[in-house]
Amino acid sequence: MKTEKLKYERPAIRKLNTGLMNKFGTRTEYAPVTHIDGVSVRELISKYGSPCFVLSERTIRKTYQNAVRAFKTRYPKVQFAWSYKTNYIDAVCNVFHQEGSWAEVVSIFEYTKALNNGVPGNKIIFNGPEKSKDDMKLAIENNSFLHIDHFDELYDLIELTETMKKKAKVAIRVNMDTGVYPMWDRFGFNYESGQAWNAITKIMATEYLDLVGLHCHIGTFMLTTSAYAVAAAKLSDLAVNIKYSYNKVLQYLDLGGGFPSGNTLRGSYLPGTDVIPSIDEFAEAITSTILNYGYKKDELPLLILETGRALIDDAGYLLGSVIANKRLSDGRRATIMDFGVNILFTAFWYEHKITPAQEFSSHTEDMVLYGPLCMNIDVVRQSVNLPMLNKGDHVVVHKVGAYNMTQWMQFIAMRPKVVLIDTEGNAHVIRENETVETLTVMERKPEHLKTFKLA
Amino acid sequence: MKINSNLAISDTGFIFNPSNGDSFSTNALGADIIRLMKEGKKTADIKKAICEKYEVDPKVLDKDYDDFMSHLRDHFLVSHD
Ligand SMILES: Cc1ncc(COP(=O)(O)O)c(C=O)c1O
């Protein structure tokens, strides 16, 4: 009788450091994740290739609804505007728009994408330091909200509206000291120096500019809720002064984005989920500040939020495979994956959680995870403890939904497919992978460079 | 390659080196190999035994075996014959 052979796992040995035990005990970071929303990782890879991004529509909606609940149970008028730069794949934007989100854009490219998705012009917020006169003209015609970043833009806008003889709905972006350093003072008008008030005075004196709101975006991956309380108070101070000086009631305060996702920042001692405040805590800090500021009940401003990362990071996964294992000269194990910083840009910021996609024994080893690029910077994790990975094994990288699918670069390798798993568990390709053809179609060869002969 | 003969190895893959107090943990195959080495088996025989017991391509095993030996050497658990 022929007996079944045992599943092979390469031999491994690890030294136990008695006396130097990790104070957090052993992390079970590597429990295998074989399915995403009930769909098998192995099947996804065999169908859509490796690497491949996967987004969970269920998680996006759940996260969004939870954020809306956190704010709406505390404050009567709340509006989210989807921050396009975080992830502007159309299908993703439309999940947010179906949930009721407006669009927040920072370039004419993003603005056009929002219009093409069917967002009405008067539900688009146009931020950012670069808006040409043509861009602003289009935004004014569409009744969009223009958030002014600097005086040059303000003067352009004054000139433009005078020739158009049409009112523009504007807000200014305000930067301020919120007690978090480094302070973001390169965007917008400064609060403490009086610059913001000067801009407001200028706008109020201009016939065709209708000041409808105030905006700030105080940072990203903010870990303190108190910074938002400070920001809400400083914007409220300006709003109250506008009411007092001009008898004008502003329609909204836009507190921007910046809430953290569940990721762990590089170099952080504790996992992200242990240190980040919940969305409820941020909501509490912001709404209680505004509610206690002394607005009249019928003059409470609409609270706009441009939350990006915190609404999409957790819904994104990157599936990949092991290309090779090697040992470095100092004895450390190195594992080379088929994805690197080219498509996982956030590896520069986060210690991404990575789990195997198949069952493993309990033996683990410390390793460096490299990407496939022939470049020294291509490090996915400097040090990670994972079960034994063999060539061809699959892994799942978690919480990669924000910024990667917009900041990824076409460098050395081509960008992979993006797949969305809908709420019923059906997978849809929402962005095709690049091919040599899709990339070279933009190139032109001058006549004299079309051919060559090698000796 | 000879394994340090006074190593203690438990059923669960816990290894203790009494000569310097180092301890290690190893997986099932690692423990198998160390046990066979302690019995004085030749490398070729050890590999043969593994191929009979586990679902593995001999070429893959060759590579992993060498890698494992270099780990054992780094930890001063083996010496050259
Ligand atoms: C103006 C503005 N709003 C919103 C966001 C979204 O930020 P986050 O992803 O940190 O929530 C950004 C991101 O940089 C931004 O610049």
PDB file of all heavy atoms in Angstrom, chain A residues 83 85-86 104 106 127-128 173 184 187 215-217 219-221 228 256-259 306-310 402-403, ligand 1:
ATOM      1  N   SER A  83     -12.443  62.405  -1.119  1.00  0.00           N
ATOM      2  CA  SER A  83     -11.152  62.949  -1.503  1.00  0.00           C
ATOM      3  C   SER A  83     -10.591  62.110  -2.661  1.00  0.00           C
ATOM      4  O   SER A  83     -10.058  61.027  -2.445  1.00  0.00           O
ATOM      5  CB  SER A  83     -10.242  62.893  -0.275  1.00  0.00           C
ATOM      6  OG  SER A  83      -8.907  63.066  -0.658  1.00  0.00           O
ATOM      7  N   LYS A  85      -8.046  62.141  -4.592  1.00  0.00           N
ATOM      8  CA  LYS A  85      -6.652  61.712  -4.698  1.00  0.00           C
ATOM      9  C   LYS A  85      -6.351  60.437  -3.929  1.00  0.00           C
ATOM     10  O   LYS A  85      -5.415  59.721  -4.230  1.00  0.00           O
ATOM     11  CB  LYS A  85      -5.716  62.832  -4.244  1.00  0.00           C
ATOM     12  CG  LYS A  85      -5.763  63.098  -2.744  1.00  0.00           C
ATOM     13  CD  LYS A  85      -4.500  63.793  -2.268  1.00  0.00           C
ATOM     14  CE  LYS A  85      -4.575  65.304  -2.225  1.00  0.00           C
ATOM     15  NZ  LYS A  85      -5.686  65.834  -1.433  1.00  0.00           N
ATOM     16  N   THR A  86      -7.171  60.148  -2.934  1.00  0.00           N
ATOM     17  CA  THR A  86      -6.934  58.954  -2.124  1.00  0.00           C
ATOM     18  C   THR A  86      -7.115  57.680  -2.948  1.00  0.00           C
ATOM     19  O   THR A  86      -6.371  56.727  -2.821  1.00  0.00           O
ATOM     20  CB  THR A  86      -7.909  58.929  -0.927  1.00  0.00           C
ATOM     21  OG1 THR A  86      -7.953  60.228  -0.356  1.00  0.00           O
ATOM     22  CG2 THR A  86      -7.481  57.940   0.114  1.00  0.00           C
ATOM     23  N   GLU A 104     -14.355  65.828  -3.613  1.00  0.00           N
ATOM     24  CA  GLU A 104     -13.337  66.822  -3.269  1.00  0.00           C
ATOM     25  C   GLU A 104     -12.154  66.558  -4.180  1.00  0.00           C
ATOM     26  O   GLU A 104     -11.602  65.449  -4.196  1.00  0.00           O
ATOM     27  CB  GLU A 104     -12.930  66.677  -1.796  1.00  0.00           C
ATOM     28  CG  GLU A 104     -11.930  67.721  -1.307  1.00  0.00           C
ATOM     29  CD  GLU A 104     -10.475  67.322  -1.495  1.00  0.00           C
ATOM     30  OE1 GLU A 104     -10.147  66.130  -1.469  1.00  0.00           O
ATOM     31  OE2 GLU A 104      -9.649  68.232  -1.703  1.00  0.00           O
ATOM     32  N   VAL A 106      -8.466  68.114  -6.356  1.00  0.00           N
ATOM     33  CA  VAL A 106      -7.356  69.059  -6.234  1.00  0.00           C
ATOM     34  C   VAL A 106      -6.651  69.318  -7.564  1.00  0.00           C
ATOM     35  O   VAL A 106      -5.526  69.821  -7.576  1.00  0.00           O
ATOM     36  CB  VAL A 106      -6.318  68.585  -5.188  1.00  0.00           C
ATOM     37  CG1 VAL A 106      -6.897  68.638  -3.783  1.00  0.00           C
ATOM     38  CG2 VAL A 106      -5.834  67.178  -5.502  1.00  0.00           C
ATOM     39  N   ASN A 127     -10.189  72.066  -4.420  1.00  0.00           N
ATOM     40  CA  ASN A 127      -9.095  72.489  -3.548  1.00  0.00           C
ATOM     41  C   ASN A 127      -7.788  72.535  -4.318  1.00  0.00           C
ATOM     42  O   ASN A 127      -7.730  72.171  -5.484  1.00  0.00           O
ATOM     43  CB  ASN A 127      -8.912  71.452  -2.426  1.00  0.00           C
ATOM     44  CG  ASN A 127      -9.876  71.655  -1.274  1.00  0.00           C
ATOM     45  OD1 ASN A 127     -10.115  72.781  -0.850  1.00  0.00           O
ATOM     46  ND2 ASN A 127     -10.427  70.571  -0.759  1.00  0.00           N
ATOM     47  N   GLY A 128      -6.732  72.887  -3.621  1.00  0.00           N
ATOM     48  CA  GLY A 128      -5.390  72.741  -4.170  1.00  0.00           C
ATOM     49  C   GLY A 128      -4.785  74.040  -4.641  1.00  0.00           C
ATOM     50  O   GLY A 128      -5.486  74.991  -4.966  1.00  0.00           O
ATOM     51  N   ARG A 173      -8.820  78.392   2.240  1.00  0.00           N
ATOM     52  CA  ARG A 173      -8.167  77.377   3.063  1.00  0.00           C
ATOM     53  C   ARG A 173      -7.344  78.103   4.114  1.00  0.00           C
ATOM     54  O   ARG A 173      -6.578  79.015   3.799  1.00  0.00           O
ATOM     55  CB  ARG A 173      -7.264  76.487   2.219  1.00  0.00           C
ATOM     56  CG  ARG A 173      -6.514  75.480   3.094  1.00  0.00           C
ATOM     57  CD  ARG A 173      -5.990  74.324   2.316  1.00  0.00           C
ATOM     58  NE  ARG A 173      -5.169  73.459   3.157  1.00  0.00           N
ATOM     59  CZ  ARG A 173      -4.639  72.325   2.755  1.00  0.00           C
ATOM     60  NH1 ARG A 173      -4.839  71.931   1.500  1.00  0.00           N
ATOM     61  NH2 ARG A 173      -3.909  71.588   3.558  1.00  0.00           N
ATOM     62  N   TRP A 184       1.525  72.401   9.160  1.00  0.00           N
ATOM     63  CA  TRP A 184       1.321  72.497   7.714  1.00  0.00           C
ATOM     64  C   TRP A 184       0.944  73.933   7.371  1.00  0.00           C
ATOM     65  O   TRP A 184      -0.213  74.297   7.458  1.00  0.00           O
ATOM     66  CB  TRP A 184       0.200  71.564   7.264  1.00  0.00           C
ATOM     67  CG  TRP A 184       0.622  70.148   7.095  1.00  0.00           C
ATOM     68  CD1 TRP A 184       1.642  69.511   7.716  1.00  0.00           C
ATOM     69  CD2 TRP A 184       0.005  69.178   6.237  1.00  0.00           C
ATOM     70  NE1 TRP A 184       1.706  68.201   7.304  1.00  0.00           N
ATOM     71  CE2 TRP A 184       0.718  67.974   6.402  1.00  0.00           C
ATOM     72  CE3 TRP A 184      -1.080  69.208   5.348  1.00  0.00           C
ATOM     73  CZ2 TRP A 184       0.385  66.813   5.710  1.00  0.00           C
ATOM     74  CZ3 TRP A 184      -1.407  68.060   4.674  1.00  0.00           C
ATOM     75  CH2 TRP A 184      -0.671  66.874   4.850  1.00  0.00           C
ATOM     76  N   PHE A 187      -0.057  75.499   2.696  1.00  0.00           N
ATOM     77  CA  PHE A 187      -1.311  75.620   1.954  1.00  0.00           C
ATOM     78  C   PHE A 187      -2.241  76.597   2.668  1.00  0.00           C
ATOM     79  O   PHE A 187      -2.412  76.526   3.874  1.00  0.00           O
ATOM     80  CB  PHE A 187      -2.011  74.263   1.841  1.00  0.00           C
ATOM     81  CG  PHE A 187      -1.156  73.200   1.206  1.00  0.00           C
ATOM     82  CD1 PHE A 187      -0.635  72.165   1.950  1.00  0.00           C
ATOM     83  CD2 PHE A 187      -0.856  73.261  -0.152  1.00  0.00           C
ATOM     84  CE1 PHE A 187       0.165  71.191   1.364  1.00  0.00           C
ATOM     85  CE2 PHE A 187      -0.059  72.296  -0.751  1.00  0.00           C
ATOM     86  CZ  PHE A 187       0.453  71.265   0.010  1.00  0.00           C
ATOM     87  N   HIS A 215     -12.264  76.581   5.112  1.00  0.00           N
ATOM     88  CA  HIS A 215     -11.711  75.241   4.948  1.00  0.00           C
ATOM     89  C   HIS A 215     -10.375  75.115   5.657  1.00  0.00           C
ATOM     90  O   HIS A 215      -9.610  76.077   5.746  1.00  0.00           O
ATOM     91  CB  HIS A 215     -11.516  74.989   3.437  1.00  0.00           C
ATOM     92  CG  HIS A 215     -10.773  73.723   3.106  1.00  0.00           C
ATOM     93  ND1 HIS A 215      -9.668  73.719   2.291  1.00  0.00           N
ATOM     94  CD2 HIS A 215     -10.977  72.441   3.465  1.00  0.00           C
ATOM     95  CE1 HIS A 215      -9.236  72.465   2.155  1.00  0.00           C
ATOM     96  NE2 HIS A 215     -10.004  71.678   2.860  1.00  0.00           N
ATOM     97  N   CYS A 216     -10.084  73.919   6.159  1.00  0.00           N
ATOM     98  CA  CYS A 216      -8.722  73.613   6.605  1.00  0.00           C
ATOM     99  C   CYS A 216      -8.479  72.126   6.396  1.00  0.00           C
ATOM    100  O   CYS A 216      -9.415  71.325   6.263  1.00  0.00           O
ATOM    101  CB  CYS A 216      -8.507  73.986   8.075  1.00  0.00           C
ATOM    102  SG  CYS A 216      -9.412  72.956   9.237  1.00  0.00           S
ATOM    103  N   HIS A 217      -7.230  71.772   6.274  1.00  0.00           N
ATOM    104  CA  HIS A 217      -6.838  70.358   6.240  1.00  0.00           C
ATOM    105  C   HIS A 217      -5.527  70.351   6.990  1.00  0.00           C
ATOM    106  O   HIS A 217      -4.503  70.768   6.474  1.00  0.00           O
ATOM    107  CB  HIS A 217      -6.686  69.877   4.787  1.00  0.00           C
ATOM    108  CG  HIS A 217      -6.102  68.502   4.677  1.00  0.00           C
ATOM    109  ND1 HIS A 217      -6.764  67.380   5.106  1.00  0.00           N
ATOM    110  CD2 HIS A 217      -4.910  68.071   4.200  1.00  0.00           C
ATOM    111  CE1 HIS A 217      -6.000  66.309   4.887  1.00  0.00           C
ATOM    112  NE2 HIS A 217      -4.874  66.698   4.347  1.00  0.00           N
ATOM    113  N   GLY A 219      -3.497  68.125   8.400  1.00  0.00           N
ATOM    114  CA  GLY A 219      -2.441  67.121   8.328  1.00  0.00           C
ATOM    115  C   GLY A 219      -3.037  65.792   7.945  1.00  0.00           C
ATOM    116  O   GLY A 219      -4.243  65.695   7.705  1.00  0.00           O
ATOM    117  N   THR A 220      -2.201  64.780   7.895  1.00  0.00           N
ATOM    118  CA  THR A 220      -2.724  63.469   7.539  1.00  0.00           C
ATOM    119  C   THR A 220      -2.215  62.442   8.534  1.00  0.00           C
ATOM    120  O   THR A 220      -1.168  62.631   9.149  1.00  0.00           O
ATOM    121  CB  THR A 220      -2.354  63.106   6.089  1.00  0.00           C
ATOM    122  OG1 THR A 220      -3.104  61.962   5.695  1.00  0.00           O
ATOM    123  CG2 THR A 220      -0.870  62.843   5.924  1.00  0.00           C
ATOM    124  N   PHE A 221      -2.974  61.392   8.744  1.00  0.00           N
ATOM    125  CA  PHE A 221      -2.691  60.370   9.758  1.00  0.00           C
ATOM    126  C   PHE A 221      -2.471  61.036  11.120  1.00  0.00           C
ATOM    127  O   PHE A 221      -1.481  60.801  11.813  1.00  0.00           O
ATOM    128  CB  PHE A 221      -1.472  59.511   9.378  1.00  0.00           C
ATOM    129  CG  PHE A 221      -1.615  58.083   9.869  1.00  0.00           C
ATOM    130  CD1 PHE A 221      -2.125  57.106   9.030  1.00  0.00           C
ATOM    131  CD2 PHE A 221      -1.283  57.735  11.168  1.00  0.00           C
ATOM    132  CE1 PHE A 221      -2.284  55.796   9.482  1.00  0.00           C
ATOM    133  CE2 PHE A 221      -1.447  56.430  11.634  1.00  0.00           C
ATOM    134  CZ  PHE A 221      -1.934  55.461  10.788  1.00  0.00           C
ATOM    135  N   TYR A 228      -8.011  68.666  16.164  1.00  0.00           N
ATOM    136  CA  TYR A 228      -9.251  68.983  15.447  1.00  0.00           C
ATOM    137  C   TYR A 228     -10.138  69.926  16.246  1.00  0.00           C
ATOM    138  O   TYR A 228     -10.851  70.752  15.677  1.00  0.00           O
ATOM    139  CB  TYR A 228     -10.013  67.696  15.084  1.00  0.00           C
ATOM    140  CG  TYR A 228      -9.385  67.003  13.904  1.00  0.00           C
ATOM    141  CD1 TYR A 228      -8.402  66.043  14.076  1.00  0.00           C
ATOM    142  CD2 TYR A 228      -9.737  67.359  12.598  1.00  0.00           C
ATOM    143  CE1 TYR A 228      -7.795  65.431  12.993  1.00  0.00           C
ATOM    144  CE2 TYR A 228      -9.140  66.762  11.512  1.00  0.00           C
ATOM    145  CZ  TYR A 228      -8.166  65.798  11.711  1.00  0.00           C
ATOM    146  OH  TYR A 228      -7.569  65.210  10.630  1.00  0.00           O
ATOM    147  N   GLY A 256     -11.696  69.259   6.390  1.00  0.00           N
ATOM    148  CA  GLY A 256     -10.695  68.502   5.641  1.00  0.00           C
ATOM    149  C   GLY A 256     -10.667  67.035   5.997  1.00  0.00           C
ATOM    150  O   GLY A 256     -11.652  66.467   6.471  1.00  0.00           O
ATOM    151  N   GLY A 257      -9.501  66.423   5.767  1.00  0.00           N
ATOM    152  CA  GLY A 257      -9.331  64.993   6.067  1.00  0.00           C
ATOM    153  C   GLY A 257      -8.319  64.823   7.165  1.00  0.00           C
ATOM    154  O   GLY A 257      -8.174  65.699   8.017  1.00  0.00           O
ATOM    155  N   GLY A 258      -7.628  63.671   7.146  1.00  0.00           N
ATOM    156  CA  GLY A 258      -6.513  63.485   8.058  1.00  0.00           C
ATOM    157  C   GLY A 258      -6.689  62.432   9.139  1.00  0.00           C
ATOM    158  O   GLY A 258      -5.746  62.164   9.880  1.00  0.00           O
ATOM    159  N   PHE A 259      -7.888  61.830   9.247  1.00  0.00           N
ATOM    160  CA  PHE A 259      -8.043  60.791  10.269  1.00  0.00           C
ATOM    161  C   PHE A 259      -7.198  59.577   9.871  1.00  0.00           C
ATOM    162  O   PHE A 259      -7.104  59.243   8.698  1.00  0.00           O
ATOM    163  CB  PHE A 259      -9.515  60.360  10.426  1.00  0.00           C
ATOM    164  CG  PHE A 259     -10.464  61.503  10.707  1.00  0.00           C
ATOM    165  CD1 PHE A 259     -11.774  61.466  10.234  1.00  0.00           C
ATOM    166  CD2 PHE A 259     -10.040  62.595  11.450  1.00  0.00           C
ATOM    167  CE1 PHE A 259     -12.652  62.516  10.486  1.00  0.00           C
ATOM    168  CE2 PHE A 259     -10.913  63.651  11.706  1.00  0.00           C
ATOM    169  CZ  PHE A 259     -12.220  63.607  11.219  1.00  0.00           C
ATOM    170  N   GLU A 306     -13.596  65.857   4.477  1.00  0.00           N
ATOM    171  CA  GLU A 306     -12.962  65.345   3.251  1.00  0.00           C
ATOM    172  C   GLU A 306     -12.118  64.124   3.581  1.00  0.00           C
ATOM    173  O   GLU A 306     -11.013  63.960   3.073  1.00  0.00           O
ATOM    174  CB  GLU A 306     -12.068  66.430   2.648  1.00  0.00           C
ATOM    175  CG  GLU A 306     -12.787  67.717   2.321  1.00  0.00           C
ATOM    176  CD  GLU A 306     -11.820  68.851   1.973  1.00  0.00           C
ATOM    177  OE1 GLU A 306     -10.606  68.715   2.196  1.00  0.00           O
ATOM    178  OE2 GLU A 306     -12.291  69.877   1.461  1.00  0.00           O
ATOM    179  N   THR A 307     -12.642  63.300   4.468  1.00  0.00           N
ATOM    180  CA  THR A 307     -11.893  62.133   4.917  1.00  0.00           C
ATOM    181  C   THR A 307     -11.519  61.225   3.745  1.00  0.00           C
ATOM    182  O   THR A 307     -12.372  60.869   2.943  1.00  0.00           O
ATOM    183  CB  THR A 307     -12.758  61.350   5.925  1.00  0.00           C
ATOM    184  OG1 THR A 307     -13.271  62.275   6.871  1.00  0.00           O
ATOM    185  CG2 THR A 307     -11.965  60.264   6.611  1.00  0.00           C
ATOM    186  N   GLY A 308     -10.246  60.872   3.660  1.00  0.00           N
ATOM    187  CA  GLY A 308      -9.790  59.988   2.585  1.00  0.00           C
ATOM    188  C   GLY A 308      -9.374  58.639   3.134  1.00  0.00           C
ATOM    189  O   GLY A 308     -10.154  57.692   3.245  1.00  0.00           O
ATOM    190  N   ARG A 309      -8.104  58.593   3.526  1.00  0.00           N
ATOM    191  CA  ARG A 309      -7.465  57.382   4.031  1.00  0.00           C
ATOM    192  C   ARG A 309      -8.341  56.527   4.955  1.00  0.00           C
ATOM    193  O   ARG A 309      -8.456  55.317   4.756  1.00  0.00           O
ATOM    194  CB  ARG A 309      -6.239  57.875   4.807  1.00  0.00           C
ATOM    195  CG  ARG A 309      -5.275  56.879   5.268  1.00  0.00           C
ATOM    196  CD  ARG A 309      -4.330  57.547   6.283  1.00  0.00           C
ATOM    197  NE  ARG A 309      -3.590  58.682   5.762  1.00  0.00           N
ATOM    198  CZ  ARG A 309      -2.506  58.595   5.008  1.00  0.00           C
ATOM    199  NH1 ARG A 309      -2.038  57.424   4.664  1.00  0.00           N
ATOM    200  NH2 ARG A 309      -1.895  59.673   4.595  1.00  0.00           N
ATOM    201  N   ALA A 310      -8.942  57.160   5.958  1.00  0.00           N
ATOM    202  CA  ALA A 310      -9.669  56.399   6.971  1.00  0.00           C
ATOM    203  C   ALA A 310     -10.905  55.701   6.395  1.00  0.00           C
ATOM    204  O   ALA A 310     -11.432  54.774   7.003  1.00  0.00           O
ATOM    205  CB  ALA A 310     -10.088  57.319   8.121  1.00  0.00           C
ATOM    206  N   ALA A 402      -5.781  53.114   0.404  1.00  0.00           N
ATOM    207  CA  ALA A 402      -5.597  54.555   0.240  1.00  0.00           C
ATOM    208  C   ALA A 402      -4.260  54.880  -0.400  1.00  0.00           C
ATOM    209  O   ALA A 402      -3.225  54.341  -0.004  1.00  0.00           O
ATOM    210  CB  ALA A 402      -5.684  55.249   1.604  1.00  0.00           C
ATOM    211  N   TYR A 403      -4.284  55.758  -1.366  1.00  0.00           N
ATOM    212  CA  TYR A 403      -3.107  56.340  -2.026  1.00  0.00           C
ATOM    213  C   TYR A 403      -2.322  55.401  -2.936  1.00  0.00           C
ATOM    214  O   TYR A 403      -1.706  55.861  -3.895  1.00  0.00           O
ATOM    215  CB  TYR A 403      -2.165  57.020  -1.008  1.00  0.00           C
ATOM    216  CG  TYR A 403      -2.850  58.195  -0.344  1.00  0.00           C
ATOM    217  CD1 TYR A 403      -3.334  58.115   0.949  1.00  0.00           C
ATOM    218  CD2 TYR A 403      -3.081  59.368  -1.065  1.00  0.00           C
ATOM    219  CE1 TYR A 403      -4.019  59.180   1.528  1.00  0.00           C
ATOM    220  CE2 TYR A 403      -3.754  60.440  -0.487  1.00  0.00           C
ATOM    221  CZ  TYR A 403      -4.222  60.341   0.805  1.00  0.00           C
ATOM    222  OH  TYR A 403      -4.894  61.385   1.369  1.00  0.00           O
TER     223      TYR A 403
HETATM  224  C1  LIG C   1      -7.348  69.187   0.906  1.00  0.00           C
HETATM  225  C2  LIG C   1      -7.357  67.760   1.297  1.00  0.00           C
HETATM  226  N1  LIG C   1      -8.488  67.213   1.771  1.00  0.00           N
HETATM  227  C3  LIG C   1      -8.550  65.901   2.125  1.00  0.00           C
HETATM  228  C4  LIG C   1      -7.457  65.066   2.027  1.00  0.00           C
HETATM  229  C5  LIG C   1      -7.577  63.631   2.466  1.00  0.00           C
HETATM  230  O1  LIG C   1      -6.746  63.378   3.548  1.00  0.00           O
HETATM  231  P1  LIG C   1      -6.742  62.037   4.354  1.00  0.00           P
HETATM  232  O2  LIG C   1      -6.518  60.912   3.389  1.00  0.00           O
HETATM  233  O3  LIG C   1      -5.587  62.198   5.299  1.00  0.00           O
HETATM  234  O4  LIG C   1      -8.039  61.898   5.065  1.00  0.00           O
HETATM  235  C6  LIG C   1      -6.250  65.603   1.557  1.00  0.00           C
HETATM  236  C7  LIG C   1      -5.057  64.751   1.460  1.00  0.00           C
HETATM  237  O5  LIG C   1      -3.924  65.129   1.397  1.00  0.00           O
HETATM  238  C8  LIG C   1      -6.203  66.981   1.176  1.00  0.00           C
HETATM  239  O6  LIG C   1      -5.069  67.545   0.716  1.00  0.00           O
END
